[in-house]
Amino acid sequence: MIVTFTINGEERSATVAGWESLLTVLRDNLGLAGSKNACEQGECGSCSVIVDGANLCSCLVMVGDCEGTTITTVEGIAHGSALHPIQQAILDEGGVQCGFCTPGFVITAAHLFAADPNPDEETMREAFSGNICRCTGYGALLRAFDRLAEDGT
Amino acid sequence: MHFLAAGDLSTALDARAEHPEAELLAGGTDLMVEVNLSYHRPAGVIAVRSCEELLEWEGRRIGAAVTWARLEDGPHRALGQLARTIGSPQIRAAGTLGGNVATASPAGDGLPWIAAVDAEIEVASRSRGTRIIPWTEFFVGVKETTLAPDEIITAILLPEQMPVSQEFAKVGVRNVMVIAMVNCVVARGDDGFRVALGSVAPVPIRAYRAEEMINAETSISDAALTEFARIVSDEVRPITDHRSTEAYRRHASGVLARRLVERCLAA
Amino acid sequence: MTVGTKERVAAGIGESAPRPDGVAKLSGNFAYGSDLWIDGMLWGATLRSPYAHARLVELDITPAVVMSGVRAVLTQDDVPGRPTFGQVEQDQPVLCDGVARYWGEPVAIVAADDQETARAAVEAIIVEWEPLPPVTDPDQARAAGETYRDMVIRRGDADAAGSVVIEGEYETAIQDQAPLGPEAGLAIPDGSGGVDLHVTTQWIHIDHAQIIASLDMEPDDVRCHPVGIGGAFGAREDISLHIHVAMLALRTGRPVRIVYDRTESFAGHVKRHSARMRYRHEADDEGRLVKVTVDMVLDGGAYAHTSHAVLANASFFTVGPYKCDNVFVDAAVSRTNNPPAGAMRGFGAVQVCFAYESQMDRLAEALGLHPLEVRRRNALGPGDPMATSGQIVEGSLPTLRVIDELEAIPMPDAAIPDDPRRLPGGTGLTTPKDAVVRGVGFALGLKNLAFSEAFDDFSEVLLVLTPAGLEIHTAAIEVGQGLVTICEQIARTVLGIQAVAWVSADTSQIGSAGSTSASRQTQMTGGAVYEAAVGLRDKILQQFGGDELTNDGVYSGGELVATLDAVTADAPIEQWVRYRHPPTEEPDEFGQGNPHAGFVVAAHRAVVDVDPELGLVRVVQIDTAQDVGKALNPQAIVGQLEGGIAQGVGFAIMEELILEDGVILNPTFTDYLIPTLLDMPDVGSRLIEEPAHWGPFGAKGIGESPTISSTPAVVAAIRAATGRPLTRVPVRPQDIAGV
């Protein structure tokens, strides 16, 4: 089947098997490999994308169910060549190590701060609890998010 | 037939009647795991998450496709509490109560609540119309239900008399995003306490003997609570698997049930 | 003649310079192994053993071969060269040799036009097994003589005796590195019989040696290229799909890609050895160690991998950062049918640290001493002999200072929190505030730096100065820890040149940089960069008659005598270095000698809230004082400390691969649980700078320390809260609840 959606502001179509995951189609059909495949069970958040305003694990979204949706992936966060303030804060605080989880954190942060520019620490811990990081121990990420929350970005 | 995104229930029921071999897709948080991990290509898919009828939540009727994210903020306290423990925020934005009921995992966190409030499952099909199934007749084994191949779960129906207080708790080794070793709902109504547990039997169960015992107490003493916990531990039927042991699950069942009774009393 | 400003170069050592790959990683543009893609490539898939031990009765690949879209189906008979591989012993068949010796052992490999076809072809292969009884008990295997290595340490007087005797048995389970990036490789035939292999790894040269042997090819015909790595932690130090993907590419003449899924990843890489350790500590009335006697067995699983070196570490670090004149160790690493074990962050030092720190706590308790006091009284320092090998500690080892600095870190608010997300059980709402008991625990850990036991340990670097700036050519692998950043900082500081770029070299372009493991790359490849930069600087100064090199060019007596453009006008200037650390020795048959190049020490304090009745834990805070030698990049160090602590917390209370008859029961992220942000404590860090006796600017490798003693600190805190003995990690709810 052919699915058409708006990805990062651009209308895209793909010929897919409807049961395939949105993640597979993003990575293998549309050249958007920024969303990462680390577990395929919705247990790590590395593939997080925003679909019609909801932050979802794209590995658990069937692409056939995406017709007409509006999707934001990590590739759509930066403003041209300039990093988004969320990305800049993570970079400045040392929140990137291996970086495999990073796209998921960027997306979850974009989703969280769009809804709540000043979340408290516990809210942030819970909001990011579906994003596993194996390298940083989350400290630098939390410091970046604290900074963003203080700035009300 | 490969993939149909049904815009309304009628379309979904027609497709279901014609393609009973097809998988129903709501949030996808169970089905896609199976597809991804088993490399299993479904014979067909009927997507129902856009069916208006399944998204309605009014009074006693909770549409089957209402997501955990919506349930978290709803009026039913224990349902909100349990919804918040299901997977991650990303999972809760997609997963649904109806999907939890359909999957019927022994660890399904929504199921003890359904058992505790004595809810019913509303299902529909072209062949039989609408059926209302008591939860006790719906869950029959590990991931086994009495849903017929051409049926769709349309709603969870709540009784007219809802409990005055209701509390949920779940034990896992991680503080969030974890499959339950034991989950428990205690509801307190005019007729006393009801105690339901999950992950301790093939299906969600009520601890009827423990309910009877505690409901016979005129004032609930520490000793009564201890005896109550002992009966709950005795009444559950857990197994040992890679997530926990039978002994721990029995123990935790009693502890959780007692603590939830205390929480209901304090409410 | 110009007088330059001679401003200090930015982003040199000591600064928290940002990662050069950070922008790409944040934008989704960084290419990991699993992102590699080339038009026309085939997809590979692997048939694996469903048994931990079974005889292959029948293997019929015909049904797969005849499938449309299938391009190759290969078995052990198709291995062109040496049929086995391995870093130390070449004992693992490239593909099943007739007997499967662990669950998930590769049996056959397939290349097909797409992933679905490749996986369908794997399922179509007819395979019949005769299950054999698996050996799953490492003690039993040891008793039967099935060991990869046995270690004996005999130091001091066997008749020495202390007035206080502490005996204990401890067990550590299997931890998985669980890097988020899966194993992935892309092999591209070069059209003239050779192959370019892009594969996730920690050490491309050790891969290369094993790959060419099994492919029976000349070194130059196989070129291994570094790719983007999504974490490693030891999981990528041994071969996984490397030889398979190359075989498929060479057979089909087409590029082939293999990417493991999560369950294959759990099956497909080595893990942390489980261990059983029997300890006897004897001390005098003051708590000073008189004698330590240890018997232990590690489970090496089905093939050797790095078990030899892991056992050596477990044996040499069996007493920890403490002095003791009489030490007797009998240790073995067994061959079983459990998943093969190998490198994981801490490498043998983790298991024994749990045991010796548990013993030290019990010793303190027996004498009525504070846990840190008994550690102070025994602290190992420079000039002291190692308790095990007798090697005199050279350079810095600030054991006493890490204890003092740890104590100086403020404790968390003593009040039990109100928010359930801060309580045991978290969002599960299991635990009312009044059911919580708080505990505090401490632990110290000791680790060796770089490779030991006479291993010829080196790293090669080529620096190239061009008009555009300096290039660092190396085969060293960046796994996420920040090696690239550190090396660039070193080069900037030594050369005074701002523009520095990292150039990943393949195996045909440069010699080995050694493994990204053993806390070694900051000192080894960083040391190579330092030495090469000094050589390059001196060469330039000599050539242009200068006394100082800056970002503007060469100065002499404060005057600019040649701009950088002028310096590189004729040709790029190069400097190659093969850097080695001070030599180490093979110990004698009793483990005596100088097997180590240096040591690093750390201390951890854990504060935990426990629900003793349900056995649930919320780690509140972990503080650490870390011996760093010199902090080249403080932010990167704190990142290592916090990340290592997260893995230490995981091992203390949740991370465990559970086996039944050698089969992993939880090879998914649903059931192999990794701490989330709601499980991770606040962390306080103090960096102790006492320069090492080798390495750039006195820096020490600190990648492993935070994982070593954080685990026993958490367990000590749970013990303090509950009084339970807790002799096994991870601690399970039933262990705390006592049911």
Side-chain angles (χ1 to χ4, degrees):
Chain A
M1 63 191 286
I2 295 175
V3 178
T4 304
F5 24 44
T6 304
I7 301 184
N8 302 329
E10 198 184 323
E11 191 173 291
R12 301 285 301 266
S13 291
T15 303
V16 302
W19 55 269
E20 287 183 283
S21 73
L22 174 60
L23 175 64
T24 302
V25 172
L26 289 172
R27 290 175 54 79
D28 294 357
N29 299 41
L30 299 171
L32 294 168
S35 306
K36 296 300 171 209
N37 179 349
C39 79
E40 291 188 283
Q41 288 184 286
E43 294 279 355
C44 77
S46 308
C47 65
S48 301
V49 300
I50 299 169
V51 182
D52 289 343
N55 181 21
L56 302 177
C57 289
S58 60
C59 71
L60 299 187
V61 176
M62 265 196 200
V63 71
D65 211 16
C66 292
E67 176 65 32
T69 55
T70 299
I71 298 168
T72 304
T73 72
V74 67
E75 289 93 342
I77 297 294
H79 309 300
S81 59
L83 291 182
H84 186 282
I86 287 169
Q87 295 167 314
Q88 191 63 52
I90 295 174
L91 182 66
D92 293 346
E93 296 295 338
V96 179
Q97 285 190 33
C98 93
F100 212 81
C101 70
T102 305
F105 274 94
V106 169
I107 287 291
T108 300
H111 184 259
L112 171 68
F113 288 111
D116 179 2
N118 305 101
D120 64 19
E121 184 180 326
E122 292 315 304
T123 303
M124 288 193 285
R125 283 180 179 263
E126 189 172 4
F128 289 99
S129 63
N131 290 85
I132 297 284
C133 174
R134 192 58 165 159
C135 295
T136 67
Y138 308 100
L141 289 160
L142 203 52
R143 286 189 284 277
F145 302 143
D146 274 338
R147 207 177 89 182
L148 291 162
E150 278 167 25
D151 295 351
T153 309
Chain B
M1 193 264 166
H2 285 303
F3 193 98
L4 173 76
D8 54 48
L9 182 60
S10 177
T11 310
L13 288 173
D14 286 343
R16 189 77 162 143
E18 209 179 323
H19 299 285
E21 77 288 355
E23 306 276 358
L24 279 180
L25 173 71
T29 55
D30 284 331
L31 178 59
M32 281 304 285
V33 172
E34 202 182 309
V35 170
N36 290 338
L37 296 196
S38 68
Y39 312 137
H40 150 76
R41 180 197 271 256
V45 178
I46 304 165
V48 297
R49 75 171 172 94
S50 304
C51 296
E52 204 59 41
E53 298 89 332
L54 306 186
L55 294 170
E56 284 166 6
W57 177 9
E58 274 188 35
R60 290 175 47 212
R61 191 175 183 283
I62 304 175
V66 173
T67 61
W68 301 115
R70 280 175 71 192
L71 295 166
E72 273 186 76
D73 299 324
H76 307 294
R77 182 177 164 85
L79 182 60
Q81 290 170 342
L82 73 89
R84 191 181 173 191
T85 72
I86 292 189
S88 61
Q90 289 91 324
I91 297 285
R92 301 200 284 277
T96 66
L97 180 57
N100 203 234
V101 170
T103 297
S105 159
D109 292 310
L111 310 189
W113 185 76
I114 286 170
V117 302
D118 267 330
E120 297 168 310
I121 319 299
E122 181 194 276
V123 306
S125 67
R126 285 295 178 226
S127 62
R128 276 174 267 197
T130 298
R131 290 202 292 152
I132 311 283
I133 309 172
W135 71 271
T136 46
E137 291 168 26
F138 187 83
F139 302 106
V140 293
V142 175
K143 296 191 173 184
E144 264 186 75
T145 71
T146 51
L147 188 75
D150 66 338
E151 283 179 322
I152 293 175
I153 299 171
T154 47
I156 309 306
L157 299 181
L158 306 182
E160 275 182 42
Q161 284 297 311
M162 281 295 280
V164 180
S165 55
Q166 47 173 283
E167 295 287 337
F168 167 84
K170 156 177 165 178
V171 177
V173 293
R174 196 157 64 181
N175 284 338
V176 70
M177 194 163 62
V178 68
I179 308 256
M181 289 173 172
V182 178
N183 49 21
C184 183
V185 172
V186 171
R188 186 190 188 196
D190 294 340
D191 55 345
F193 290 97
R194 295 184 204 161
V195 180
L197 298 113
S199 276
V200 289
V203 294
I205 60 167
R206 286 271 294 277
Y208 291 114
R209 280 201 287 124
E211 287 177 11
E212 200 177 322
M213 176 260 151
I214 200 75
N215 290 334
E217 297 286 315
T218 43
S219 81
I220 295 172
S221 63
D222 275 357
L225 282 170
T226 304
E227 175 61 6
F228 166 74
R230 192 195 62 75
I231 297 173
V232 171
S233 295
D234 188 55
E235 213 169 346
V236 293
R237 293 177 280 133
I239 57 166
T240 293
D241 63 11
H242 60 278
R243 291 189 186 127
S244 191
T245 62
E246 180 196 335
Y248 178 77
R249 283 179 162 129
R250 284 191 186 281
H251 168 77
S253 296
V255 174
L256 285 189
R258 189 194 70 218
R259 287 181 179 181
L260 294 184
V261 165
E262 288 171 333
R263 267 161 57 182
C264 284
L265 287 170
Chain C
M1 188 177 71
T2 320
V3 178
T5 54
K6 292 198 287 183
E7 276 180 21
R8 209 169 133 249
V9 72
I13 64 147
E15 293 180 50
S16 291
R19 303 181 63 94
D21 57 14
V23 171
K25 286 177 172 176
L26 282 152
S27 314
N29 297 321
F30 186 81
Y32 294 89
S34 53
D35 299 330
L36 295 178
W37 190 282
I38 187 168
D39 286 340
M41 70 184 182
L42 303 173
W43 298 67
T46 310
L47 173 69
R48 296 174 181 279
S49 167
Y51 298 103
H53 194 199
R55 192 180 317 284
L56 189 56
V57 178
E58 191 195 348
L59 180 65
D60 181 2
I61 61 171
T62 318
V65 172
V66 300
M67 281 173 69
S68 164
V70 171
R71 306 296 167 181
V73 183
L74 305 180
T75 67
Q76 179 74 347
D77 293 340
D78 299 300
V79 179
R82 190 177 66 200
T84 57
F85 67 94
Q87 272 199 47
V88 181
E89 282 178 43
Q90 287 74 49
D91 62 342
Q92 177 159 359
V94 173
L95 291 162
C96 180
D97 62 1
V99 177
R101 296 176 188 84
Y102 71 98
W103 175 78
E105 182 160 358
V107 177
I109 45 176
V110 169
D113 290 351
D114 56 64
Q115 191 166 28
E116 209 191 341
T117 307
R119 286 169 171 173
V122 162
E123 285 182 22
I125 294 172
I126 295 169
V127 51
E128 193 187 322
W129 296 98
E130 178 198 332
L132 302 169
V135 178
T136 57
D137 182 339
D139 279 311
Q140 235 172 46
R142 181 191 195 184
E146 289 291 330
T147 59
Y148 296 110
R149 184 178 183 176
D150 298 84
M151 285 281 298
V152 172
I153 290 175
R154 297 283 179 267
R155 182 161 174 266
D157 177 5
D159 296 328
S163 51
V164 186
V165 177
I166 307 289
E167 287 186 302
E169 290 195 23
Y170 304 92
E171 193 180 323
T172 60
I174 303 175
Q175 188 178 22
D176 197 278
Q177 304 87 345
L180 284 193
E183 287 74 8
L186 175 65
I188 308 172
D190 64 9
S192 44
V195 66
D196 286 275
L197 190 58
H198 305 259
V199 67
T200 52
T201 178
Q202 291 172 237
W203 187 3
I204 56 174
H205 282 81
I206 198 86
D207 296 344
H208 184 257
Q210 297 171 76
I211 293 163
I212 58 171
S214 288
L215 296 179
D216 191 23
M217 287 170 69
E218 293 303 313
D220 286 349
D221 291 335
V222 179
R223 293 156 301 271
C224 293
H225 302 258
V227 295
I229 305 286
F233 319 113
R236 306 187 201 280
E237 206 172 44
D238 293 290
I239 295 274
S240 57
L241 50 72
H242 310 49
I243 302 170
H244 301 162
V245 73
M247 281 171 61
L248 289 169
L250 289 165
R251 175 63 69 96
T252 59
R254 289 175 60 180
V256 178
R257 154 194 159 116
I258 298 180
V259 179
Y260 283 178
D261 67 21
R262 181 52 54 188
T263 295
E264 279 193 290
S265 178
F266 274 111
H269 61 244
V270 299
K271 301 145 199 336
R272 189 187 299 294
H273 292 72
S274 67
R276 292 177 190 164
M277 300 162 285
R278 292 162 276 266
Y279 269 70
R280 179 183 168 94
H281 276 57
E282 296 180 49
D284 66 17
D285 293 340
E286 306 294 313
R288 291 188 178 81
L289 296 179
V290 173
K291 187 166 78 172
V292 175
T293 313
V294 178
D295 182 87
M296 71 173 126
V297 62
L298 271 53
D299 187 348
Y303 296 106
H305 296 281
T306 50
S307 277
H308 299 74
V310 172
L311 183 73
N313 261 23
S315 302
F316 286 125
F317 296 99
T318 205
V319 179
Y322 307 117
K323 290 181 281 197
C324 182
D325 290 331
N326 307 293
V327 175
F328 298 85
V329 180
D330 289 278
V333 57
S334 293
R335 177 188 287 110
T336 66
N337 296 112
N338 290 326
M344 182 174 173
R345 198 176 196 173
F347 202 77
V350 166
Q351 294 90 334
V352 291
C353 185
F354 172 63
Y356 66 69
E357 286 301 81
S358 300
Q359 289 281 99
M360 293 303 276
D361 280 346
R362 290 180 56 202
L363 177 59
E365 197 186 347
L367 291 165
L369 294 171
H370 188 279
L372 288 179
E373 180 54 28
V374 80
R375 289 164 170 88
R376 272 197 185 92
R377 291 183 185 182
N378 290 288
L380 183 75
D384 291 330
M386 277 282 287
T388 48
S389 64
Q391 175 170 357
I392 301 299
V393 174
E394 225 185 308
S396 69
L397 192 69
T399 308
L400 284 170
R401 264 191 81 190
V402 297
I403 296 173
D404 292 343
E405 297 266 355
L406 182 72
E407 279 198 303
I409 300 175
M411 287 285 283
D413 186 347
I416 305 294
D418 291 313
D419 193 316
R421 291 170 290 192
R422 286 267 175 191
L423 293 171
T427 59
L429 304 177
T430 53
T431 304
K433 215 174 134 173
D434 59 12
V436 172
V437 184
R438 179 160 287 185
V440 181
F442 305 87
L444 270 62
L446 184 68
K447 181 70 184 45
N448 50 334
L449 295 163
F451 292 155
S452 304
E453 294 189 276
F455 193 93
D456 183 21
D457 191 8
F458 61 84
S459 178
E460 285 190 17
V461 159
L462 174 68
L463 298 186
V464 181
L465 186 63
T466 74
L470 183 81
E471 294 172 354
I472 302 171
H473 294 250
T474 169
I477 302 296
E478 164 71 53
V479 294
Q481 82 282 42
L483 175 66
V484 171
T485 324
I486 294 279
C487 287
E488 291 185 3
Q489 289 178 269
I490 292 168
R492 283 193 200 102
T493 295
V494 175
L495 289 167
I497 290 170
Q498 192 65 54
V500 178
W502 178 270
V503 180
S504 268
D506 68 49
T507 46
S508 71
Q509 295 167 326
I510 198 162
S512 176
S515 179
T516 293
S517 67
S519 298
R520 66 181 284 289
Q521 287 294 25
T522 292
Q523 285 178 263
M524 295 300 296
T525 298
V529 169
Y530 178 88
E531 202 171 283
V534 168
L536 187 71
R537 181 189 65 198
D538 292 350
K539 191 189 283 186
I540 293 168
L541 292 179
Q542 194 179 11
Q543 190 179 339
F544 293 89
D547 52 33
E548 191 181 1
L549 182 64
T550 76
N551 202 38
D552 314 316
V554 177
Y555 282 81
S556 177
E559 290 178 7
L560 185 67
V561 295
T563 63
L564 275 191
D565 281 349
V567 166
T568 55
D570 293 340
I573 304 178
E574 297 187 350
Q575 183 74 29
W576 174 88
V577 155
R578 175 180 280 186
Y579 179 79
R580 286 186 166 84
H581 60 67
T584 61
E585 298 168 6
E586 191 81 45
D588 70 16
E589 60 184 310
F590 298 116
Q592 303 303 291
N594 299 295
H596 298 121
F599 305 98
V600 58
V601 67
H604 288 87
R605 178 182 67 200
V607 180
V608 303
D609 283 346
V610 186
D611 175 344
E613 196 177 16
L614 280 177
L616 302 178
V617 178
R618 174 72 164 88
V619 184
V620 175
Q621 182 167 314
I622 296 191
D623 301 304
T624 182
Q626 173 74 48
D627 163 26
V628 301
K630 162 78 184 167
L632 300 184
N633 184 323
Q635 187 186 70
I637 290 176
V638 170
Q640 286 297 302
L641 302 188
E642 292 174 340
I645 285 170
Q647 293 182 1
V649 168
F651 198 34
I653 58 174
M654 64 180 82
E655 286 187 37
E656 173 178 9
L657 282 176
I658 298 163
L659 304 180
E660 188 176 273
D661 294 331
V663 175
I664 301 175
L665 298 182
N666 57 334
T668 68
F669 280 171
T670 301
D671 284 314
Y672 186 85
L673 299 179
I674 294 166
T676 71
L677 238 175
L678 275 182
D679 302 285
M680 187 60 194
D682 296 327
V683 173
S685 302
R686 294 275 175 107
L687 314 185
I688 316 299
E689 292 191 304
E690 290 187 11
H693 61 295
W694 61 273
F697 303 99
K700 289 187 179 183
I702 52 84
E704 293 173 286
S705 283
T707 313
I708 296 171
S709 37
S710 50
T711 299
V714 171
V715 179
I718 302 172
R719 281 192 201 111
T722 63
R724 292 274 176 198
L726 305 180
T727 56
R728 175 198 192 273
V729 285
V731 175
R732 299 161 296 197
Q734 62 263 33
D735 301 330
I736 299 172
V739 291

